Structure formats: C-alpha cells, structure tokens
Amino acid sequence: MPTVSEIVALRALALSAVTLPHPDAAVRWVATSELPDPSPYLEGGELLLTTGLVDRDAAGWGEFVRVVLEAGVVAVGFGVGVRHPELPVALAAAAARDGLNLFVVPQPTPFIAVSKAVADSLADAERDEDRRSLAHQQELTRAAVVGSAELVDALGRIVGGSAAVIGQEGDALFGFAGLGDRARPLIERMQRGDRRSAFAEIGAAGRMLVQPVELHGRTDAYLVIESPDALNPAQRTAVSTALALLTLERDRARVERDAERRIRAGAVSLLLQGDAVAAEAVLGALPWASARVVRARGAAVGEILATLEHLGAIATVTPDDELIVISPDEPELPGLLVGVGPVQPLAALGVSDSAARDALAAASPGRPVVRWEELAGEGVDALLSSESLTSYTAMLLGPVLARPDAGELVAALRSFLKHNGQVGPAAAELGVHRNTVRNRLALAEDLLGRSLQDPQARADLWIALKHVTAG
C-alpha cells in the first residue's frame, strides 16, 4: 500500500506537507467528510480530506485531531480556498502536538484527484504484490522440486530471515537448526492441545511464526519462520504456499517410505525363511555371508526403525509392533527390550530368529538385553517362560509335593541327582543313613511313576527341582 509521504510527494497534486511525524503510515483508502465527528464512518487507515466547513475554535480543532487519531486516520488533507483561505493555525498546532500527519490541498487540486491518485497507487501496489507473490511461488516451486530442505531455505530468503521444519520431538528436520530451541515453547503449547492454527510471537531475534504441517488430520511437524519485520502480503502468501508444498512433499515421502517398508518387510521374511537368493533380488547383494537376527519391543520401535532406515540397516516392524533387525553386528536399541540371536549363515537365519525370540521372551526391565549365548549358558530351563516352568514343575512333582514329608523327598532327589546318582555322597550331604536315602528315593519313584535310572527322567527332575520351593 502507498504511504502518506508517497502521496504527498506526487507532483501532479501539488500537496504541501505541514507536519509528517509518521510519513511511512500506509494509506488504505481516501475518505471525505465535513461532519463534526466523522469517526462513525471510518474503519482506520484512511486519508481524510476536509475543507473545514464546521466552525471550530482552537479547542474544537484539538478535539477534531483527537477524534480522527482515535479512529485510525493516518493523515488529514485540508483543502484551502473553500471555507478557509489558509490552513487554521490551531489545526496545525494540534496536529504537531498530537502527532497527526497533516498536509494542505491547494484550491486548484480537486479532492477527486487525490482519491484517484490513491486508488491508482493502491492498484499499482496490488499488482506489485501479485508479481512478488508469483515470483515467490515460482521460486518455492523450483526449490520444492529439489527437496524439502531447499524449499525451507528458499522460504527463509523470501521472508528475510530464517525458516525450519521442526519434528514432534523438537529436532530440526530441515532448515535453520537454531529455530528449534526458540520455537519449543510455542510448539509445546500446541502439543498440549491448543487448537489455534498458528502461533506468532515477537522476541529479541524478531517475529516468530509457528504453523503445524498437517498430514491426514494429524500434526506431522511444524513450520517455523523468524523474520526481523512483519510479513507483507506477498510474504504471507509465500508462507501459505510453502506450507502446502511441504504437506504434499511429506505426504509423497510418507507414501514412498511405506512402500519401501513393505518391500523391506518382504525381504526380511525371505531371509528368515532361508531364501537369501530371493531376498538379494529385492535388496541387492548383501555385503556379508552370515548375520544375526535381533528382535526388540517397546514404545520407541517406530522412531528407532526410522533411525535404522536412515543408516541403511535391514530392519522392519511386525504387525504386533516387534522390531526385527538383521545384521552381523549387534545394533544399539536404547529404550527397548532386546533379544539377540547368534550369528548364522544367511541360509540358516531362521535358527537365529528362533533364538532371538527366546532371548526376547527372557528380557525384562531389569535385564533389557538378553543374548542367546548367555541364555543358553544358564541351562535349558532358562529358555522356558516362568509360567511354563511353574506348570511343568507342578505336573511332574505334584504327587511328591502333596505329601507331608515332601521336604525330605525333594531333598533326597536333589542330592541324589547332584551327586550323579550316588547314594553314599547324597546320604553324607543329608546327614542320614544310606538306607534312609534309598527308601526315600524308592518312595519318590513310586509316586512319580518314573525310574531314577532313566536319563530322561533324571534330566526332567533336575530342571523341575531347580524351580521347586519345597525342601
């Protein structure tokens, strides 16, 4: 929009400035009025033309200046030669005192000429804004073809400041990383449920604007702009254009990412089935002949999957939100419960996967990472769930545990098995006669219906006895 000083400077109008304390004030339109109080018919931003037909003394002119300033008038043009041959001194004094832009319209210049000049200037300004907007849109579109980072950089240049796309965790995805910390309070207000479509704030570094980038009805990220001055209409249009382009780009990237994930999930399935040839047809030649399978679960599997994908790892998340990683090395998966399988040839990755499942089943907050080799070293019972062991122990030793002398029978069985089926050392350990041990063992065999000379029975009993509480 044209400014007051630009209108006064138009030679064709021959206007004379009296006082211009705010020469850069923007003129929205021209109004003409001879009313005692024109404020009810004003919206603000007008250049008001008057010939002073209403008689006013010095106090009246002071009141006139106060009223038009409160109404938002940006300047008064006083037409001389109709009611007043010269500009009233009291009006000039009041304008200088209260800070009103004031100029004289000479008698040869009709008010309609001033109105037409302002209208022409407004039209020129609008055309200039349209041209700037078109140029901005072309620049942003060209940048978007290259990528989101280039788009955000172009927007920063257009607003004369900086721009960035900030993720949900406050990290800068594209653009000037320093905006993340400064925008965090506004982003947190949005995340707490404030439904406003945008936040604006004036700080030490300038004006900051935060707008959510929406994808399918949910906030995917935040566009943050910081500029030293208020945005003009063309710059505001550029922000809207950039937001639309970012939304399209991120949606396209999401579709591509989902497609890539489905392909990678199929390749992982082929590898776990031992079909390395078919998997390599999808993924390309793998750089190693053997690998391990790692399974993990936890709230952060989605974020960690994105990080692994960025590093080029072979990983996927199952429909029940379990992360699978195939790699010769053991990846770092912070915040997750992790089961690590052993390294196996690619054709035998199913073996590593089965081991990783068992290791994950044994993981807990107190022991978040369980490796198969460590688990297997603790005994075969370490591979079973606590529920399975409890049920197995109750089933196998139930008849023994139901007796009043269960403690003596359990102690005899445990000591006998501990000493490799030798009665003498068992009796010595228990502090009883050998025949006492033999009698207890015979009773246990009758109750169990199994012979203690059977190696399988001994192995089964040893596992159960390790988890029995009696004795």
Side-chain angles (χ1 to χ4, degrees):
M1 285 184 284
T3 65
V4 173
S5 61
E6 289 171 344
I7 299 301
V8 173
L10 294 174
R11 292 185 178 182
L13 298 178
L15 306 177
S16 301
V18 178
T19 175
L20 294 180
H22 308 291
D24 294 330
V27 179
R28 294 181 59 249
W29 197 241
V30 176
T32 301
S33 177
E34 303 295 347
L35 296 173
D37 180 6
S39 60
Y41 304 96
L42 301 173
E43 295 182 351
E46 293 93 351
L47 189 160
L48 178 63
L49 300 176
T50 184
T51 61
L53 292 180
V54 176
D55 289 329
R56 292 184 175 90
D57 55 14
W61 283 117
E63 177 65 12
F64 172 78
V65 169
R66 183 190 67 79
V67 167
V68 297
L69 283 173
E70 288 184 354
V73 168
V74 297
V76 169
F78 192 89
V80 297
V82 179
R83 176 70 174 81
H84 299 271
E86 301 290 341
L87 178 73
V89 174
L91 172 59
R97 181 187 68 241
D98 295 340
L100 172 67
N101 289 323
L102 178 64
F103 60 86
V104 171
V105 182
Q107 190 172 22
T109 303
F111 281 0
I112 189 64
V114 178
S115 298
K116 185 177 183 301
V118 171
D120 290 344
S121 295
L122 287 171
D124 290 342
E126 185 174 351
R127 283 191 292 271
D128 288 342
E129 288 292 341
D130 290 342
R131 284 192 290 268
R132 281 194 292 269
S133 294
L134 179 59
H136 293 339
Q137 290 175 1
Q138 290 173 337
E139 181 180 359
L140 291 171
T141 302
R142 286 193 298 268
V145 171
V146 181
S148 294
E150 288 73 13
L151 170 63
V152 173
D153 290 343
L155 180 61
R157 292 192 298 271
I158 288 171
V159 301
S162 54
V165 174
I166 308 299
Q168 293 281 22
E169 303 302 320
D171 53 321
L173 304 180
F174 309 105
F176 180 55
L179 288 183
D181 290 337
R182 296 203 286 272
R184 184 168 290 113
L186 297 180
I187 291 175
E188 289 176 349
R189 287 174 62 184
M190 285 186 168
Q191 291 174 333
R192 285 195 297 268
D194 197 309
R195 297 300 181 184
R196 275 183 281 180
S197 60
F199 273 104
E201 186 174 79
I202 299 177
R207 292 167 170 80
M208 178 174 288
L209 174 68
V210 179
Q211 288 189 290
V213 181
E214 300 283 346
L215 280 184
H216 305 289
R218 68 174 185 84
T219 299
D220 179 66
Y222 301 90
L223 175 61
V224 180
I225 300 116
E226 194 171 63
S227 62
D229 302 307
L231 301 183
N232 59 43
Q235 290 171 326
R236 291 195 294 271
T237 300
V239 172
S240 299
T241 300
L243 189 63
L245 290 172
L246 276 171
T247 301
L248 291 173
E249 171 61 21
R250 291 185 68 77
D251 193 38
R252 181 195 62 78
R254 179 192 62 80
V255 171
E256 290 183 355
R257 183 198 63 210
D258 290 348
E260 290 173 357
R261 284 181 173 178
R262 287 193 293 271
I263 293 172
R264 193 179 300 109
V268 168
S269 177
L270 290 170
L271 283 170
L272 297 184
Q273 295 171 37
D275 195 346
V277 174
E280 288 187 326
V282 176
L283 298 173
L286 298 179
W288 12 264
S290 59
R292 70 173 78 240
V293 176
V294 177
R295 283 184 172 259
R297 63 175 182 269
V301 292
E303 292 80 359
I304 291 179
L305 174 63
T307 300
L308 292 171
E309 289 172 338
H310 182 70
L311 297 174
I314 299 176
T316 187
V317 171
T318 66
D320 56 350
D321 292 328
E322 195 164 283
L323 176 66
I324 301 176
V325 185
I326 298 176
S327 171
D329 306 314
E330 183 180 327
E332 293 186 10
L333 305 174
L336 301 182
L337 299 181
V338 181
V340 183
V343 173
Q344 293 288 311
L346 294 182
L349 280 181
V351 175
S352 183
D353 184 42
S354 178
R357 290 175 185 269
D358 291 336
L360 179 59
S364 65
R367 188 186 181 186
V369 179
V370 178
R371 298 170 181 84
W372 164 261
E373 291 87 351
E374 298 171 356
L375 191 64
E378 297 171 9
V380 68
D381 51 315
L383 306 178
L384 303 175
S385 67
S386 59
E387 294 82 2
S388 297
L389 282 171
T390 299
S391 300
Y392 181 74
T393 299
M395 177 190 70
L396 183 62
L397 293 175
V400 171
L401 297 177
R403 288 181 58 85
D405 56 351
E408 294 177 349
L409 296 180
V410 167
L413 287 168
R414 184 177 286 141
S415 184
F416 175 73
L417 295 174
K418 176 182 176 183
H419 292 287
N420 298 316
Q422 300 182 54
V423 174
E429 181 183 52
L430 296 174
V432 298
H433 194 273
R434 292 184 179 188
N435 289 337
T436 300
V437 173
R438 289 192 181 96
N439 291 336
R440 290 175 181 174
L441 294 175
L443 177 57
E445 284 182 316
D446 289 340
L447 292 170
L448 297 172
R450 303 184 69 173
S451 170
L452 294 179
Q453 301 307 311
D454 180 1
Q456 183 63 54
R458 289 191 184 189
D460 293 345
L461 285 169
W462 180 250
I463 292 174
L465 287 168
K466 285 174 65 177
H467 299 277
V468 73
T469 56

